[in-house]
Amino acid sequence: MKSTQLAQITRTDDSTGAISNPIYLSTAYSHPKLGQSTGFDYTRTKNPTRSTFEEAFAKLEGGIQSYATSSGMASIQLICNLFKPGDEVLVSFDLYGGTFRLFDFYERQYNITFKYVHFENFEDVEAAVTPQTRAFFIEPISNPLMIHIDLDAYYRLAQAHNILTIIDNTFLTPYLSTPLKDGADIVLHSATKYIGGHNDVLAGVVTVKDAELVESLSAFHNMIGATLSPIDSYLLLRGLKTLHLRMERSERNAKQLIDVLQSSPAIQEVLYSGHTGMLSLRLNKQYDVGRLLEHIKVCIFAESLGGTESFITFPYTQTHVDMPDDEKDKRGIDQQLIRLSIGIEDFDDIKDDLIQALEKSKLEVTP
Ligand SMILES: *Cc1c(COP(=O)(O)O)cnc(C)c1O
């Protein structure tokens, strides 16, 4: 993706030459006469600002249609409408907690089976495929353990068994990966994260490259109505214009930070996929996460990722709070684990902040 291309595909207002996209708040659009339309009639169905974002995003992804939704979860729910009772979906074991919660509801309410498998182990997945398997739902970088999964073998396996490959690409974004071009059927993002990038918009986006999926998803998107508002669509367009710069900077900051943290006495384990600004840290037993969070000044204790500011999240009580304890145990989500979304601040500011907070997080040993 070239930044010059990005500027072009997000600039569409030829009538005025506006550099920045207009925000069309109108919910209704007048028709010239009976049987004629401007292409717009009612904003749930189609809105000019949303369409501009969707068209730009579909181009970035190598798809034919994108759907902007009111949240990342609304994107996943939109996709869930493709499943029928009796269908099985094989899902990344190490999954975003909100997705786990939604799938658990769908399983109980609609009798769709979600089987959690280790996509880092191809044989496990292959053995789990049955004639009922309708889809793979994969996070290519697992959360919060940051394991990077090689997807190529799964595209082939899916094609051989007529299975849909659904990729939650939130962590990577089209700047680092475009799964539709490689063989995926459906790609989704929580655009609340890197795409919006400034912690000021809740949004999701689903992209597909197949006409049949376009037909179903267009109907569901309009029918359910969790479509993205014009102002939020504008914010995503604006986010896209700096995506490449933000991704580069946060990835570079994260990689430099890992070099420093690996030698810290406070750190038992650094978990990093090799990509993005996302990493997790497991603190040694003598260090206390609660204390660390009290002492950070530049980094922020908050529950999100992919924004301009560096965030620290405690998966145990935040992103994964609804996961039963035994499931958390299996995934290594314990009370020493924190997840960091490294922002675009000056590297030294982030580093100095973490070093001082880690030092202060050491528990006193009682003799
Ligand atoms: C945040 C997130 C979601 C959910 O998106 P919302 O915009 O919060 O609804 C889904 N998947 C991943 C990987 C996420 O990080």
Coordinates of all heavy atoms in Angstrom, one line a residue, residues 35-75:
G35 N -39.1 5.8 -10.5 CA -38.2 4.9 -11.1 C -36.8 5.3 -11.3 O -35.9 4.7 -11.9
Q36 N -36.5 6.6 -10.8 CA -35.1 7.1 -10.9 C -34.5 7.3 -9.5 O -35.3 7.6 -8.5 CB -35.1 8.4 -11.6 CG -34.9 8.2 -13.1 CD -34.7 9.6 -13.8 OE1 -34.4 10.6 -13.1 NE2 -34.8 9.6 -15.1
S37 N -33.2 7.1 -9.3 CA -32.6 7.3 -8.0 C -31.2 7.8 -8.3 O -30.6 7.5 -9.3 CB -32.6 6.0 -7.3 OG -31.6 6.1 -6.2
T38 N -30.6 8.6 -7.3 CA -29.2 9.0 -7.4 C -28.3 7.8 -7.0 O -27.1 8.0 -7.0 CB -29.0 10.1 -6.4 OG1 -29.3 9.6 -5.0 CG2 -29.8 11.4 -6.7
G39 N -28.9 6.8 -6.6 CA -28.1 5.6 -6.0 C -28.2 5.6 -4.5 O -27.8 4.7 -3.8
F40 N -28.8 6.7 -3.9 CA -28.9 6.8 -2.5 C -30.4 7.0 -2.2 O -31.1 7.8 -2.9 CB -28.1 7.9 -1.9 CG -26.6 7.7 -2.1 CD1 -26.0 8.2 -3.3 CD2 -25.9 7.0 -1.2 CE1 -24.7 8.1 -3.5 CE2 -24.5 6.8 -1.4 CZ -23.9 7.3 -2.6
D41 N -31.0 6.3 -1.2 CA -32.3 6.6 -0.8 C -32.5 6.8 0.7 O -33.1 7.7 1.1 CB -33.3 5.6 -1.4 CG -32.9 4.1 -1.2 OD1 -32.7 3.7 0.0 OD2 -32.8 3.4 -2.2
Y42 N -31.9 5.8 1.5 CA -32.0 5.9 2.9 C -30.7 5.5 3.5 O -30.1 4.5 3.1 CB -33.2 4.9 3.3 CG -33.5 5.0 4.8 CD1 -33.9 6.2 5.4 CD2 -33.4 3.8 5.6 CE1 -34.2 6.2 6.8 CE2 -33.7 3.9 6.9 CZ -34.1 5.0 7.5 OH -34.4 5.1 8.9
T43 N -30.3 6.2 4.6 CA -28.9 6.1 5.0 C -28.5 4.7 5.6 O -27.3 4.4 5.6 CB -28.6 7.3 6.0 OG1 -27.2 7.4 6.1 CG2 -29.2 7.0 7.3
R44 N -29.5 4.0 6.1 CA -29.1 2.7 6.6 C -28.6 1.8 5.5 O -27.6 1.1 5.6 CB -30.3 2.0 7.3 CG -30.0 0.5 7.6 CD -30.8 -0.2 8.7 NE -32.2 0.3 8.8 CZ -33.2 0.0 8.0 NH1 -32.9 -0.8 6.9 NH2 -34.4 0.5 8.2
T45 N -29.3 1.9 4.3 CA -29.0 1.1 3.2 C -27.6 1.6 2.5 O -26.8 0.8 2.2 CB -30.1 1.2 2.1 OG1 -31.3 1.1 2.8 CG2 -30.0 0.2 1.1
K46 N -27.5 2.9 2.4 CA -26.3 3.4 1.7 C -26.2 4.9 2.1 O -27.1 5.7 2.0 CB -26.5 3.3 0.2 CG -25.1 3.3 -0.5 CD -25.3 2.9 -2.0 CE -24.1 3.1 -2.8 NZ -24.3 3.2 -4.2
N47 N -24.9 5.3 2.4 CA -24.7 6.7 2.8 C -23.4 7.1 2.0 O -22.4 6.3 2.0 CB -24.5 6.8 4.3 CG -23.9 8.2 4.7 OD1 -22.7 8.4 4.6 ND2 -24.8 9.0 5.1
P48 N -23.3 8.3 1.4 CA -22.2 8.6 0.6 C -20.8 8.6 1.4 O -19.8 8.1 0.8 CB -22.5 10.1 0.1 CG -24.0 10.2 0.2 CD -24.4 9.3 1.4
T49 N -20.8 9.1 2.6 CA -19.6 9.1 3.3 C -19.1 7.6 3.7 O -18.0 7.3 3.5 CB -19.7 9.9 4.6 OG1 -20.3 11.1 4.3 CG2 -18.3 10.2 5.3
R50 N -20.1 6.8 4.1 CA -19.8 5.4 4.4 C -19.3 4.7 3.1 O -18.4 3.9 3.2 CB -21.0 4.7 5.0 CG -20.7 3.4 5.6 CD -21.8 2.8 6.5 NE -23.0 2.4 5.7 CZ -24.2 2.9 5.9 NH1 -24.5 3.7 6.9 NH2 -25.2 2.4 5.1
S51 N -20.0 5.0 2.0 CA -19.6 4.3 0.8 C -18.2 4.7 0.4 O -17.5 3.8 -0.1 CB -20.6 4.7 -0.4 OG -21.8 4.2 -0.2
T52 N -17.8 5.9 0.6 CA -16.4 6.3 0.2 C -15.5 5.5 1.0 O -14.5 5.0 0.5 CB -16.2 7.8 0.5 OG1 -17.2 8.6 -0.2 CG2 -14.8 8.3 0.1
F53 N -15.7 5.4 2.3 CA -14.8 4.6 3.2 C -14.8 3.1 2.7 O -13.8 2.5 2.5 CB -15.2 4.6 4.7 CG -14.5 3.6 5.5 CD1 -13.1 3.7 5.7 CD2 -15.1 2.4 5.9 CE1 -12.4 2.8 6.4 CE2 -14.4 1.4 6.6 CZ -13.1 1.6 6.8
E54 N -16.0 2.6 2.5 CA -16.1 1.1 2.1 C -15.4 0.9 0.8 O -14.7 -0.1 0.6 CB -17.6 0.7 2.0 CG -18.3 0.7 3.4 CD -19.8 0.4 3.3 OE1 -20.4 0.7 2.3 OE2 -20.3 0.0 4.3
E55 N -15.5 1.8 -0.2 CA -14.9 1.6 -1.5 C -13.4 1.7 -1.3 O -12.6 0.9 -1.9 CB -15.4 2.6 -2.5 CG -16.8 2.2 -3.0 CD -17.5 3.4 -3.6 OE1 -16.9 4.4 -4.1 OE2 -18.8 3.3 -3.7
A56 N -12.9 2.7 -0.6 CA -11.5 2.8 -0.3 C -10.9 1.5 0.4 O -9.9 1.0 0.0 CB -11.2 4.0 0.5
F57 N -11.7 1.1 1.3 CA -11.2 -0.1 2.1 C -11.2 -1.4 1.3 O -10.2 -2.2 1.4 CB -12.0 -0.3 3.4 CG -11.2 -1.0 4.5 CD1 -10.2 -0.3 5.2 CD2 -11.4 -2.3 4.7 CE1 -9.5 -0.9 6.2 CE2 -10.6 -2.9 5.7 CZ -9.7 -2.2 6.4
A58 N -12.2 -1.6 0.5 CA -12.2 -2.7 -0.4 C -11.0 -2.8 -1.3 O -10.4 -3.8 -1.6 CB -13.6 -2.8 -1.1
K59 N -10.7 -1.6 -1.8 CA -9.5 -1.5 -2.7 C -8.2 -1.9 -1.9 O -7.4 -2.6 -2.5 CB -9.3 -0.1 -3.2 CG -10.1 0.1 -4.5 CD -9.7 1.5 -5.1 CE -10.9 1.9 -6.0 NZ -11.0 3.4 -6.1
L60 N -8.1 -1.4 -0.7 CA -6.9 -1.7 0.1 C -6.8 -3.2 0.3 O -5.7 -3.8 0.3 CB -7.0 -1.1 1.4 CG -6.7 0.4 1.6 CD1 -6.7 0.8 3.0 CD2 -5.3 0.7 1.0
E61 N -7.9 -3.8 0.5 CA -7.9 -5.3 0.9 C -7.9 -6.2 -0.3 O -7.7 -7.4 -0.2 CB -9.2 -5.6 1.6 CG -9.3 -4.9 3.0 CD -8.9 -5.8 4.1 OE1 -7.8 -6.3 4.0 OE2 -9.8 -6.1 5.0
G62 N -8.1 -5.6 -1.5 CA -8.2 -6.5 -2.7 C -9.5 -7.2 -2.7 O -9.6 -8.4 -3.2
G63 N -10.6 -6.6 -2.2 CA -11.9 -7.2 -2.2 C -12.8 -6.5 -3.2 O -12.4 -5.5 -3.8
I64 N -14.1 -6.9 -3.3 CA -15.0 -6.2 -4.1 C -16.0 -5.4 -3.3 O -16.6 -4.4 -3.8 CB -15.7 -7.1 -5.1 CG1 -16.5 -8.2 -4.4 CG2 -14.8 -7.7 -6.2 CD1 -17.5 -9.0 -5.4
Q65 N -16.2 -5.7 -2.1 CA -17.1 -4.9 -1.2 C -16.7 -5.0 0.2 O -16.3 -6.0 0.7 CB -18.5 -5.6 -1.4 CG -19.6 -4.8 -0.6 CD -20.0 -3.5 -1.2 OE1 -20.3 -3.4 -2.4 NE2 -19.9 -2.5 -0.4
S66 N -16.8 -3.8 0.9 CA -16.6 -3.7 2.3 C -17.9 -3.3 3.0 O -18.7 -2.6 2.3 CB -15.5 -2.7 2.7 OG -14.2 -3.2 2.3
Y67 N -18.1 -3.7 4.2 CA -19.2 -3.3 5.0 C -18.7 -2.6 6.3 O -18.1 -3.3 7.1 CB -20.1 -4.5 5.3 CG -20.6 -5.2 4.1 CD1 -19.8 -6.3 3.6 CD2 -21.7 -4.8 3.4 CE1 -20.2 -6.9 2.5 CE2 -22.1 -5.4 2.3 CZ -21.4 -6.5 1.8 OH -21.8 -7.1 0.6
A68 N -19.0 -1.3 6.4 CA -18.7 -0.6 7.7 C -19.8 -0.8 8.7 O -21.0 -0.6 8.4 CB -18.4 0.8 7.4
T69 N -19.4 -1.3 9.8 CA -20.4 -1.6 10.9 C -20.2 -0.7 12.1 O -19.1 -0.1 12.3 CB -20.4 -3.1 11.3 OG1 -19.1 -3.4 11.8 CG2 -20.7 -3.9 10.1
S70 N -21.2 -0.7 13.0 CA -21.1 0.2 14.2 C -20.1 -0.3 15.2 O -19.9 0.4 16.2 CB -22.5 0.3 14.8 OG -23.0 -1.0 15.1
S71 N -19.5 -1.5 15.1 CA -18.4 -1.9 16.0 C -17.8 -3.1 15.4 O -18.3 -3.7 14.4 CB -19.0 -2.3 17.4 OG -19.8 -3.4 17.3
G72 N -16.7 -3.5 15.9 CA -16.0 -4.8 15.5 C -16.9 -6.0 15.8 O -17.1 -6.9 14.9
M73 N -17.6 -6.0 16.9 CA -18.5 -7.1 17.3 C -19.7 -7.1 16.3 O -20.2 -8.2 15.9 CB -19.0 -6.9 18.7 CG -18.0 -7.2 19.8 SD -16.8 -8.5 19.5 CE -18.0 -9.9 19.4
A74 N -20.2 -5.9 15.8 CA -21.2 -5.9 14.8 C -20.8 -6.6 13.5 O -21.5 -7.2 12.8 CB -21.7 -4.5 14.6
S75 N -19.5 -6.4 13.2 CA -18.9 -7.1 12.0 C -19.0 -8.6 12.2 O -19.3 -9.3 11.3 CB -17.5 -6.6 11.8 OG -17.4 -5.4 11.2

